[in-house]
Amino acid sequence: MAQVFEFHFNPKTKEDIIFDSFCYEPENIYEKRVGSLYMLGILKNVLPQNVHFLEKLAKVIKEKYYRTTLIKPEKSLKNSLKEANEFLENIAKKGDVSWLGNLNFGVISIKNFELNFTRVGDLKFFLIRKGQVIDIDQKLKLEEIEPYPLKVFGNIVSGKLTENDILLALTKDTLETFQSQNLIKEIAQIIPFGEKKLKQILDNKHDILSKISGVCLLIFLSKDYTPPTAREVISPKPVKFSLKQVFIPVFNRLSYFRNLIKKPEIKIPKIPTVNELRSFSPFAMARVPKIPLPALPHISFRFKKNLILIFALAVFLALGFFVAQKEEKQRIENYQETLREIEAKVEEAESYLILKETKPEASQKANLLLKDSWNAISPLSKIAPTLPSELNSKISSLKETISINLYQLNKLEIIEEPKILFEFNRETFVPQKIVAAEDKLYFFNSYSENLFLRTGEGKEEVIQIDKKFNAATTIDKAAVFFSKPDQLTILENGKINLSPLETLSDFDYDLVSSYKSSLYFLDKKKGEIIKYPYRESFNWGSPQFWLAPQAKKAISPKSMAVDGSVWFLNKDNSLTRYYGGWPQETITAELFPTAKNFSQIVTIAALPYLYLLEPDQSRVIVLDKSGQIFKQFQSQKFDNLLDLAVSGDGKTIYLLNELKVFTLTLL
């Protein structure tokens, strides 16, 4: 019932990234009861021991999915996800948490046009129906999986498909390119859908698609079953000089002339047999015509023809050579013209920089001009080694000038060797989150029990608590840890207090923050906030809905922080501030490098700053609360950032980078 297309873009471009797709069709009548299973995934910052991580995860899901076939596909998928979560939990318990925050994986099941799917990380699913593109993450109903300890995979999406529907699943880089090149809409316009037209659309964008790394999985639904199409890999075409490529038009023209010059046909009349002659009467014999012998062609004709062809080939080769030289010269002139335009922008930007002390708007104008220049010169720098040395040198020098100015304007500090506070022993404790309370640092992992404490004097210990913690915050000098469904664990001055919380049964406690000892919880799916007012002695009152009933809900933010206002980090990397239960403003910070994927926001009521973590670009950003850049830190050593915390005075930033804890001094 499905025709499947797997497109892999440059699987060997980046050594620290692996991606793959997996397609399983029912192999017997029992497996047909739960239908087809498709998966795709991408893993970043891959360690050597995890090169087969995606294959192992897919195998776990597939084996569980087809193990019990007397249940509905939806239930079978839920069981598979539970098995996958247990598999991931076991890996984490063994000390390998490198995949946390780096795994992006999607699972799709289809049976009789009934769709169920789930995803974790930066994957996107679209449904194309009758030329219309539908974001099914938003349009279809979210169903909650039954609770279990680990929830890397959490929700599934269910819906009904129809004949000729197209399901499109894309990894992040592939999605961005498909959207920027309008490829999703072009695919939607293939009516009726066909493999030839699809490949033609992608072939037209080969040069652009050959620069990305990722997966596109396309499933076309039809009543007539078609075996899955073979996987196609799209990689850059080798760029080198080739006489064959230069002179293809020449050879095509020669073929045309070769067809015109054909061998002369020698037609020999049929000679009568002896019996035929005998049957003739004498009079008939006398009338038998004589058979004329055809004239033979001159023996040197073939030699002359070959000589003409050789001469024509030489002429066309010479012509092609001069055409290629002319095109190369024009290409170099185009690059030189582009460089002149970039230089003019840089000079204009530098003239604004002279005025930045007296005219604040001058810095903004200079920043915009330099960003445009950077975007223009970046493609040239990639091909610079293939250009003449003088042009190559000019591109490198101009790019360096632009980058230095942009770093200064955007207050970006590149740190070669960040300060390491300490490093965990994998055998002792594997951290996932960090909490700073007074002069103490607490670490926990939501997949395992116990806490790890590091004091200001450097004392380290594992605190034995038989609980798993889902979220944490701080209240004055205390660290507060929340365990589902309703338990608070408070640590202060070496004492451990347990406090039950009056919870709401239909509220999912996803994110927690605090302000003036009150607790704020967010249900990401509903976008609702509930507040627990503080009483005394680590006891809190009944939950109160904080958002105004008519206020826009905060649906699926990445992170939350409270300082009197409630700040949300949105999926598009913008920041939305709520106050008094109502949204007040949305801020999009103008940064260089441009924001890709912020993961966390932290703020402190007494400080005027917002702290943002961006693992994708190994960066920490500090903004003032109007959205202006205060400071940026970037380092190649920040290669697997998991979490950040800030000291109470705001002077120190703590970064949890896999097993290492780095510190940054802000003031």
Side-chain angles (χ1 to χ4, degrees), residues 270-283:
K270 180 180 178 183
I271 301 175
T273 63
V274 174
N275 290 332
E276 288 174 335
L277 292 174
R278 285 176 179 173
S279 65
F280 293 160
S281 66
F283 300 102

Side-chain angles (χ1 to χ4, degrees), residues 602-616:
V602 172
T603 190
I604 297 176
L607 298 176
Y609 304 119
L610 302 170
Y611 304 82
L612 300 169
L613 189 67
E614 188 180 28
D616 283 12

Side-chain angles (χ1 to χ4, degrees), residues 421-422 424 433-444 451-461 463 472-481 490-496 604 643-649 652-655 661 663:
L421 182 63
F422 72 100
F424 284 89
K433 294 288 186 179
I434 179 175
V435 178
E438 198 180 18
D439 63 343
K440 299 178 179 64
L441 296 177
Y442 297 89
F443 300 86
F444 70 100
L451 297 169
F452 186 95
L453 170 64
R454 163 91 180 194
T455 67
E457 294 79 25
K459 180 183 176 182
E460 301 172 4
E461 67 171 309
I463 302 174
T473 186
T474 58
I475 294 178
D476 295 329
K477 300 178 181 180
V480 181
F481 299 87
I490 302 102
L491 286 86
E492 183 182 30
N493 298 326
K495 297 180 180 179
I496 301 176
I604 297 176
D643 200 13
L644 74 79
V646 182
S647 62
D649 59 8
T652 305
I653 299 173
Y654 301 98
L655 296 176
V661 179
T663 61

